[in-house]
mmCIF file with all atom_site columns, all heavy atoms in Angstrom:
data_model
loop_
_atom_site.group_PDB
_atom_site.id
_atom_site.type_symbol
_atom_site.label_atom_id
_atom_site.label_alt_id
_atom_site.label_comp_id
_atom_site.label_asym_id
_atom_site.label_entity_id
_atom_site.label_seq_id
_atom_site.pdbx_PDB_ins_code
_atom_site.Cartn_x
_atom_site.Cartn_y
_atom_site.Cartn_z
_atom_site.occupancy
_atom_site.B_iso_or_equiv
_atom_site.pdbx_formal_charge
_atom_site.auth_seq_id
_atom_site.auth_comp_id
_atom_site.auth_asym_id
_atom_site.auth_atom_id
_atom_site.pdbx_PDB_model_num
ATOM 1   N N   . VAL A 1 154 ? 85.678 135.090 86.327  1.00 0.00 ? 154 VAL A N   1
ATOM 2   C CA  . VAL A 1 154 ? 86.273 134.136 87.266  1.00 0.00 ? 154 VAL A CA  1
ATOM 3   C C   . VAL A 1 154 ? 87.683 134.587 87.670  1.00 0.00 ? 154 VAL A C   1
ATOM 4   O O   . VAL A 1 154 ? 88.053 134.542 88.846  1.00 0.00 ? 154 VAL A O   1
ATOM 5   C CB  . VAL A 1 154 ? 86.313 132.718 86.648  1.00 0.00 ? 154 VAL A CB  1
ATOM 6   C CG1 . VAL A 1 154 ? 87.224 131.793 87.462  1.00 0.00 ? 154 VAL A CG1 1
ATOM 7   C CG2 . VAL A 1 154 ? 84.904 132.134 86.577  1.00 0.00 ? 154 VAL A CG2 1
ATOM 8   N N   . ILE A 1 175 ? 95.824 127.133 99.118  1.00 0.00 ? 175 ILE A N   1
ATOM 9   C CA  . ILE A 1 175 ? 94.627 126.312 99.301  1.00 0.00 ? 175 ILE A CA  1
ATOM 10  C C   . ILE A 1 175 ? 93.419 126.999 98.678  1.00 0.00 ? 175 ILE A C   1
ATOM 11  O O   . ILE A 1 175 ? 92.596 126.372 97.996  1.00 0.00 ? 175 ILE A O   1
ATOM 12  C CB  . ILE A 1 175 ? 94.378 126.039 100.803 1.00 0.00 ? 175 ILE A CB  1
ATOM 13  C CG1 . ILE A 1 175 ? 95.469 125.114 101.354 1.00 0.00 ? 175 ILE A CG1 1
ATOM 14  C CG2 . ILE A 1 175 ? 92.989 125.420 101.020 1.00 0.00 ? 175 ILE A CG2 1
ATOM 15  C CD1 . ILE A 1 175 ? 95.418 124.931 102.852 1.00 0.00 ? 175 ILE A CD1 1
ATOM 16  N N   . PHE A 1 176 ? 93.316 128.321 98.904  1.00 0.00 ? 176 PHE A N   1
ATOM 17  C CA  . PHE A 1 176 ? 92.213 129.076 98.303  1.00 0.00 ? 176 PHE A CA  1
ATOM 18  C C   . PHE A 1 176 ? 92.273 128.995 96.782  1.00 0.00 ? 176 PHE A C   1
ATOM 19  O O   . PHE A 1 176 ? 91.260 128.760 96.117  1.00 0.00 ? 176 PHE A O   1
ATOM 20  C CB  . PHE A 1 176 ? 92.264 130.548 98.733  1.00 0.00 ? 176 PHE A CB  1
ATOM 21  C CG  . PHE A 1 176 ? 91.387 131.441 97.888  1.00 0.00 ? 176 PHE A CG  1
ATOM 22  C CD1 . PHE A 1 176 ? 90.016 131.487 98.100  1.00 0.00 ? 176 PHE A CD1 1
ATOM 23  C CD2 . PHE A 1 176 ? 91.923 132.215 96.863  1.00 0.00 ? 176 PHE A CD2 1
ATOM 24  C CE1 . PHE A 1 176 ? 89.199 132.288 97.313  1.00 0.00 ? 176 PHE A CE1 1
ATOM 25  C CE2 . PHE A 1 176 ? 91.118 133.014 96.073  1.00 0.00 ? 176 PHE A CE2 1
ATOM 26  C CZ  . PHE A 1 176 ? 89.753 133.055 96.300  1.00 0.00 ? 176 PHE A CZ  1
ATOM 27  N N   . GLY A 1 177 ? 93.464 129.185 96.218  1.00 0.00 ? 177 GLY A N   1
ATOM 28  C CA  . GLY A 1 177 ? 93.618 129.164 94.764  1.00 0.00 ? 177 GLY A CA  1
ATOM 29  C C   . GLY A 1 177 ? 93.202 127.833 94.163  1.00 0.00 ? 177 GLY A C   1
ATOM 30  O O   . GLY A 1 177 ? 92.495 127.781 93.148  1.00 0.00 ? 177 GLY A O   1
ATOM 31  N N   . THR A 1 178 ? 93.626 126.745 94.806  1.00 0.00 ? 178 THR A N   1
ATOM 32  C CA  . THR A 1 178 ? 93.278 125.401 94.322  1.00 0.00 ? 178 THR A CA  1
ATOM 33  C C   . THR A 1 178 ? 91.780 125.155 94.435  1.00 0.00 ? 178 THR A C   1
ATOM 34  O O   . THR A 1 178 ? 91.134 124.683 93.487  1.00 0.00 ? 178 THR A O   1
ATOM 35  C CB  . THR A 1 178 ? 94.042 124.334 95.100  1.00 0.00 ? 178 THR A CB  1
ATOM 36  O OG1 . THR A 1 178 ? 95.457 124.553 94.955  1.00 0.00 ? 178 THR A OG1 1
ATOM 37  C CG2 . THR A 1 178 ? 93.696 122.941 94.607  1.00 0.00 ? 178 THR A CG2 1
ATOM 38  N N   . ALA A 1 179 ? 91.213 125.469 95.607  1.00 0.00 ? 179 ALA A N   1
ATOM 39  C CA  . ALA A 1 179 ? 89.790 125.232 95.842  1.00 0.00 ? 179 ALA A CA  1
ATOM 40  C C   . ALA A 1 179 ? 88.931 126.099 94.935  1.00 0.00 ? 179 ALA A C   1
ATOM 41  O O   . ALA A 1 179 ? 87.934 125.630 94.359  1.00 0.00 ? 179 ALA A O   1
ATOM 42  C CB  . ALA A 1 179 ? 89.447 125.511 97.306  1.00 0.00 ? 179 ALA A CB  1
ATOM 43  N N   . PHE A 1 180 ? 89.330 127.360 94.778  1.00 0.00 ? 180 PHE A N   1
ATOM 44  C CA  . PHE A 1 180 ? 88.557 128.264 93.933  1.00 0.00 ? 180 PHE A CA  1
ATOM 45  C C   . PHE A 1 180 ? 88.615 127.819 92.475  1.00 0.00 ? 180 PHE A C   1
ATOM 46  O O   . PHE A 1 180 ? 87.601 127.803 91.775  1.00 0.00 ? 180 PHE A O   1
ATOM 47  C CB  . PHE A 1 180 ? 89.082 129.695 94.057  1.00 0.00 ? 180 PHE A CB  1
ATOM 48  C CG  . PHE A 1 180 ? 88.371 130.671 93.159  1.00 0.00 ? 180 PHE A CG  1
ATOM 49  C CD1 . PHE A 1 180 ? 87.123 131.170 93.506  1.00 0.00 ? 180 PHE A CD1 1
ATOM 50  C CD2 . PHE A 1 180 ? 88.932 131.078 91.955  1.00 0.00 ? 180 PHE A CD2 1
ATOM 51  C CE1 . PHE A 1 180 ? 86.445 132.052 92.678  1.00 0.00 ? 180 PHE A CE1 1
ATOM 52  C CE2 . PHE A 1 180 ? 88.270 131.954 91.115  1.00 0.00 ? 180 PHE A CE2 1
ATOM 53  C CZ  . PHE A 1 180 ? 87.017 132.444 91.486  1.00 0.00 ? 180 PHE A CZ  1
ATOM 54  N N   . GLY A 1 181 ? 89.801 127.437 92.009  1.00 0.00 ? 181 GLY A N   1
ATOM 55  C CA  . GLY A 1 181 ? 89.945 127.002 90.629  1.00 0.00 ? 181 GLY A CA  1
ATOM 56  C C   . GLY A 1 181 ? 89.122 125.769 90.330  1.00 0.00 ? 181 GLY A C   1
ATOM 57  O O   . GLY A 1 181 ? 88.444 125.691 89.301  1.00 0.00 ? 181 GLY A O   1
ATOM 58  N N   . LEU A 1 182 ? 89.162 124.794 91.241  1.00 0.00 ? 182 LEU A N   1
ATOM 59  C CA  . LEU A 1 182 ? 88.391 123.565 91.055  1.00 0.00 ? 182 LEU A CA  1
ATOM 60  C C   . LEU A 1 182 ? 86.894 123.859 91.097  1.00 0.00 ? 182 LEU A C   1
ATOM 61  O O   . LEU A 1 182 ? 86.121 123.361 90.270  1.00 0.00 ? 182 LEU A O   1
ATOM 62  C CB  . LEU A 1 182 ? 88.767 122.543 92.136  1.00 0.00 ? 182 LEU A CB  1
ATOM 63  C CG  . LEU A 1 182 ? 88.127 121.159 92.026  1.00 0.00 ? 182 LEU A CG  1
ATOM 64  C CD1 . LEU A 1 182 ? 88.553 120.477 90.734  1.00 0.00 ? 182 LEU A CD1 1
ATOM 65  C CD2 . LEU A 1 182 ? 88.512 120.294 93.227  1.00 0.00 ? 182 LEU A CD2 1
ATOM 66  N N   . GLY A 1 183 ? 86.479 124.677 92.069  1.00 0.00 ? 183 GLY A N   1
ATOM 67  C CA  . GLY A 1 183 ? 85.066 125.009 92.200  1.00 0.00 ? 183 GLY A CA  1
ATOM 68  C C   . GLY A 1 183 ? 84.543 125.764 90.991  1.00 0.00 ? 183 GLY A C   1
ATOM 69  O O   . GLY A 1 183 ? 83.445 125.500 90.498  1.00 0.00 ? 183 GLY A O   1
ATOM 70  N N   . ALA A 1 184 ? 85.344 126.715 90.508  1.00 0.00 ? 184 ALA A N   1
ATOM 71  C CA  . ALA A 1 184 ? 84.920 127.501 89.342  1.00 0.00 ? 184 ALA A CA  1
ATOM 72  C C   . ALA A 1 184 ? 84.804 126.617 88.109  1.00 0.00 ? 184 ALA A C   1
ATOM 73  O O   . ALA A 1 184 ? 83.873 126.761 87.302  1.00 0.00 ? 184 ALA A O   1
ATOM 74  C CB  . ALA A 1 184 ? 85.918 128.635 89.091  1.00 0.00 ? 184 ALA A CB  1
ATOM 75  N N   . ASN A 1 185 ? 85.746 125.670 87.969  1.00 0.00 ? 185 ASN A N   1
ATOM 76  C CA  . ASN A 1 185 ? 85.744 124.805 86.784  1.00 0.00 ? 185 ASN A CA  1
ATOM 77  C C   . ASN A 1 185 ? 84.559 123.850 86.800  1.00 0.00 ? 185 ASN A C   1
ATOM 78  O O   . ASN A 1 185 ? 83.804 123.743 85.826  1.00 0.00 ? 185 ASN A O   1
ATOM 79  C CB  . ASN A 1 185 ? 87.058 124.030 86.719  1.00 0.00 ? 185 ASN A CB  1
ATOM 80  C CG  . ASN A 1 185 ? 87.328 123.485 85.333  1.00 0.00 ? 185 ASN A CG  1
ATOM 81  O OD1 . ASN A 1 185 ? 86.980 124.101 84.332  1.00 0.00 ? 185 ASN A OD1 1
ATOM 82  N ND2 . ASN A 1 185 ? 87.964 122.340 85.258  1.00 0.00 ? 185 ASN A ND2 1
ATOM 83  N N   . LEU A 1 186 ? 84.376 123.140 87.932  1.00 0.00 ? 186 LEU A N   1
ATOM 84  C CA  . LEU A 1 186 ? 83.299 122.146 88.015  1.00 0.00 ? 186 LEU A CA  1
ATOM 85  C C   . LEU A 1 186 ? 81.933 122.780 88.257  1.00 0.00 ? 186 LEU A C   1
ATOM 86  O O   . LEU A 1 186 ? 80.915 122.239 87.831  1.00 0.00 ? 186 LEU A O   1
ATOM 87  C CB  . LEU A 1 186 ? 83.595 121.151 89.148  1.00 0.00 ? 186 LEU A CB  1
ATOM 88  C CG  . LEU A 1 186 ? 84.795 120.211 88.936  1.00 0.00 ? 186 LEU A CG  1
ATOM 89  C CD1 . LEU A 1 186 ? 84.968 119.302 90.141  1.00 0.00 ? 186 LEU A CD1 1
ATOM 90  C CD2 . LEU A 1 186 ? 84.619 119.378 87.672  1.00 0.00 ? 186 LEU A CD2 1
ATOM 91  N N   . GLY A 1 187 ? 81.926 123.930 88.956  1.00 0.00 ? 187 GLY A N   1
ATOM 92  C CA  . GLY A 1 187 ? 80.653 124.533 89.342  1.00 0.00 ? 187 GLY A CA  1
ATOM 93  C C   . GLY A 1 187 ? 80.148 125.615 88.409  1.00 0.00 ? 187 GLY A C   1
ATOM 94  O O   . GLY A 1 187 ? 78.950 125.937 88.424  1.00 0.00 ? 187 GLY A O   1
ATOM 95  N N   . ILE A 1 188 ? 81.035 126.196 87.593  1.00 0.00 ? 188 ILE A N   1
ATOM 96  C CA  . ILE A 1 188 ? 80.625 127.308 86.734  1.00 0.00 ? 188 ILE A CA  1
ATOM 97  C C   . ILE A 1 188 ? 80.957 127.050 85.271  1.00 0.00 ? 188 ILE A C   1
ATOM 98  O O   . ILE A 1 188 ? 80.085 126.993 84.409  1.00 0.00 ? 188 ILE A O   1
ATOM 99  C CB  . ILE A 1 188 ? 81.292 128.629 87.192  1.00 0.00 ? 188 ILE A CB  1
ATOM 100 C CG1 . ILE A 1 188 ? 80.887 128.967 88.639  1.00 0.00 ? 188 ILE A CG1 1
ATOM 101 C CG2 . ILE A 1 188 ? 80.893 129.776 86.258  1.00 0.00 ? 188 ILE A CG2 1
ATOM 102 C CD1 . ILE A 1 188 ? 81.607 130.164 89.219  1.00 0.00 ? 188 ILE A CD1 1
ATOM 103 N N   . LEU A 1 189 ? 82.257 126.884 84.974  1.00 0.00 ? 189 LEU A N   1
ATOM 104 C CA  . LEU A 1 189 ? 82.686 126.851 83.574  1.00 0.00 ? 189 LEU A CA  1
ATOM 105 C C   . LEU A 1 189 ? 82.200 125.610 82.841  1.00 0.00 ? 189 LEU A C   1
ATOM 106 O O   . LEU A 1 189 ? 81.681 125.703 81.724  1.00 0.00 ? 189 LEU A O   1
ATOM 107 C CB  . LEU A 1 189 ? 84.216 126.967 83.500  1.00 0.00 ? 189 LEU A CB  1
ATOM 108 C CG  . LEU A 1 189 ? 84.791 128.264 84.096  1.00 0.00 ? 189 LEU A CG  1
ATOM 109 C CD1 . LEU A 1 189 ? 86.311 128.264 84.014  1.00 0.00 ? 189 LEU A CD1 1
ATOM 110 C CD2 . LEU A 1 189 ? 84.220 129.490 83.376  1.00 0.00 ? 189 LEU A CD2 1
ATOM 111 N N   . MET A 1 190 ? 82.378 124.416 83.450  1.00 0.00 ? 190 MET A N   1
ATOM 112 C CA  . MET A 1 190 ? 81.919 123.200 82.772  1.00 0.00 ? 190 MET A CA  1
ATOM 113 C C   . MET A 1 190 ? 80.399 123.139 82.632  1.00 0.00 ? 190 MET A C   1
ATOM 114 O O   . MET A 1 190 ? 79.885 122.828 81.548  1.00 0.00 ? 190 MET A O   1
ATOM 115 C CB  . MET A 1 190 ? 82.448 121.955 83.487  1.00 0.00 ? 190 MET A CB  1
ATOM 116 C CG  . MET A 1 190 ? 83.881 121.638 83.151  1.00 0.00 ? 190 MET A CG  1
ATOM 117 S SD  . MET A 1 190 ? 84.393 120.039 83.824  1.00 0.00 ? 190 MET A SD  1
ATOM 118 C CE  . MET A 1 190 ? 86.030 119.884 83.102  1.00 0.00 ? 190 MET A CE  1
ATOM 119 N N   . PRO A 1 191 ? 79.637 123.441 83.700  1.00 0.00 ? 191 PRO A N   1
ATOM 120 C CA  . PRO A 1 191 ? 78.183 123.437 83.521  1.00 0.00 ? 191 PRO A CA  1
ATOM 121 C C   . PRO A 1 191 ? 77.715 124.428 82.469  1.00 0.00 ? 191 PRO A C   1
ATOM 122 O O   . PRO A 1 191 ? 76.788 124.139 81.706  1.00 0.00 ? 191 PRO A O   1
ATOM 123 C CB  . PRO A 1 191 ? 77.663 123.826 84.911  1.00 0.00 ? 191 PRO A CB  1
ATOM 124 C CG  . PRO A 1 191 ? 78.718 123.351 85.846  1.00 0.00 ? 191 PRO A CG  1
ATOM 125 C CD  . PRO A 1 191 ? 80.015 123.582 85.116  1.00 0.00 ? 191 PRO A CD  1
ATOM 126 N N   . TYR A 1 192 ? 78.354 125.593 82.413  1.00 0.00 ? 192 TYR A N   1
ATOM 127 C CA  . TYR A 1 192 ? 77.961 126.563 81.391  1.00 0.00 ? 192 TYR A CA  1
ATOM 128 C C   . TYR A 1 192 ? 78.317 126.061 79.996  1.00 0.00 ? 192 TYR A C   1
ATOM 129 O O   . TYR A 1 192 ? 77.593 126.299 79.031  1.00 0.00 ? 192 TYR A O   1
ATOM 130 C CB  . TYR A 1 192 ? 78.596 127.923 81.655  1.00 0.00 ? 192 TYR A CB  1
ATOM 131 C CG  . TYR A 1 192 ? 77.615 128.913 82.237  1.00 0.00 ? 192 TYR A CG  1
ATOM 132 C CD1 . TYR A 1 192 ? 77.660 129.254 83.578  1.00 0.00 ? 192 TYR A CD1 1
ATOM 133 C CD2 . TYR A 1 192 ? 76.622 129.486 81.440  1.00 0.00 ? 192 TYR A CD2 1
ATOM 134 C CE1 . TYR A 1 192 ? 76.749 130.155 84.117  1.00 0.00 ? 192 TYR A CE1 1
ATOM 135 C CE2 . TYR A 1 192 ? 75.699 130.376 81.970  1.00 0.00 ? 192 TYR A CE2 1
ATOM 136 C CZ  . TYR A 1 192 ? 75.772 130.705 83.310  1.00 0.00 ? 192 TYR A CZ  1
ATOM 137 O OH  . TYR A 1 192 ? 74.861 131.580 83.843  1.00 0.00 ? 192 TYR A OH  1
ATOM 138 N N   . ARG A 1 194 ? 78.260 122.970 79.080  1.00 0.00 ? 194 ARG A N   1
ATOM 139 C CA  . ARG A 1 194 ? 77.197 122.011 78.744  1.00 0.00 ? 194 ARG A CA  1
ATOM 140 C C   . ARG A 1 194 ? 75.896 122.750 78.406  1.00 0.00 ? 194 ARG A C   1
ATOM 141 O O   . ARG A 1 194 ? 75.154 122.327 77.514  1.00 0.00 ? 194 ARG A O   1
ATOM 142 C CB  . ARG A 1 194 ? 76.988 121.030 79.905  1.00 0.00 ? 194 ARG A CB  1
ATOM 143 C CG  . ARG A 1 194 ? 78.176 120.090 80.114  1.00 0.00 ? 194 ARG A CG  1
ATOM 144 C CD  . ARG A 1 194 ? 77.832 118.950 81.055  1.00 0.00 ? 194 ARG A CD  1
ATOM 145 N NE  . ARG A 1 194 ? 77.577 119.386 82.421  1.00 0.00 ? 194 ARG A NE  1
ATOM 146 C CZ  . ARG A 1 194 ? 78.509 119.527 83.352  1.00 0.00 ? 194 ARG A CZ  1
ATOM 147 N NH1 . ARG A 1 194 ? 79.783 119.281 83.063  1.00 0.00 ? 194 ARG A NH1 1
ATOM 148 N NH2 . ARG A 1 194 ? 78.188 119.901 84.578  1.00 0.00 ? 194 ARG A NH2 1
ATOM 149 N N   . PHE A 1 236 ? 79.429 115.270 84.363  1.00 0.00 ? 236 PHE A N   1
ATOM 150 C CA  . PHE A 1 236 ? 79.780 116.383 85.238  1.00 0.00 ? 236 PHE A CA  1
ATOM 151 C C   . PHE A 1 236 ? 81.265 116.738 85.171  1.00 0.00 ? 236 PHE A C   1
ATOM 152 O O   . PHE A 1 236 ? 81.674 117.802 85.634  1.00 0.00 ? 236 PHE A O   1
ATOM 153 C CB  . PHE A 1 236 ? 79.355 116.089 86.693  1.00 0.00 ? 236 PHE A CB  1
ATOM 154 C CG  . PHE A 1 236 ? 80.275 115.173 87.449  1.00 0.00 ? 236 PHE A CG  1
ATOM 155 C CD1 . PHE A 1 236 ? 81.284 115.681 88.253  1.00 0.00 ? 236 PHE A CD1 1
ATOM 156 C CD2 . PHE A 1 236 ? 80.124 113.801 87.361  1.00 0.00 ? 236 PHE A CD2 1
ATOM 157 C CE1 . PHE A 1 236 ? 82.126 114.831 88.957  1.00 0.00 ? 236 PHE A CE1 1
ATOM 158 C CE2 . PHE A 1 236 ? 80.957 112.947 88.053  1.00 0.00 ? 236 PHE A CE2 1
ATOM 159 C CZ  . PHE A 1 236 ? 81.968 113.463 88.858  1.00 0.00 ? 236 PHE A CZ  1
#
Side-chain angles (χ1 to χ4, degrees):
V154 166
I175 291 172
F176 165 79
T178 301
F180 177 79
L182 184 62
N185 199 34
L186 292 179
I188 300 174
L189 299 178
M190 281 188 174
Y192 256 105
R194 292 192 293 272
F236 79 94

